[in-house]
Amino acid sequence: MTTPDVPTTTVADIPAELPEGTALLDVRERDEWDAGHAPGAAHIPMSELAGRLGDLTDTTYLVICRSGGRSARVTTYLNANGWEAANVDGGMQVWEAQGRPVVSDTDPTPRVI
């Protein structure tokens, strides 16, 4: 779901180990995160972002949601407010489809919902 004028990256372009100062930011809601997420990702639901900007300690963010819509909006917001961010095209659906690991702290069968 590429959005015009929003910096975008693909799952295939994300290295297994992110460079220093770069974080994968998952902006899905708690139930989606609990079901399954990328290992090492930070979690701030889009609905909580404005109140949790102090939690953003990295300088660059790869922003991911289920399919790319919410993360595109968050990417635009972050870029407009001093961070460097790129939307992960296709989101966690593509992440999972490409065989990238999905983990859960609460569900024995991690999955993307």
Side-chain angles (χ1 to χ4, degrees), residues 34-93:
D34 286 345
H37 55 273
H43 180 233
I44 302 177
M46 186 174 92
S47 61
E48 298 176 14
L49 185 67
R52 295 185 54 193
L53 292 176
D55 293 348
L56 299 177
T57 58
D58 290 288
T59 54
T60 303
Y61 288 93
L62 303 176
V63 187
I64 196 165
C65 66
R66 182 173 182 263
S67 62
R70 288 173 283 181
S71 54
R73 291 192 298 273
V74 169
T75 296
T76 299
Y77 179 82
L78 291 177
N79 284 325
N81 287 283
W83 285 273
E84 184 179 327
N87 183 37
V88 179
D89 192 32
M92 285 300 297
Q93 289 179 321

Side-chain angles (χ1 to χ4, degrees), residues 25 51 94:
L25 177 62
V94 170

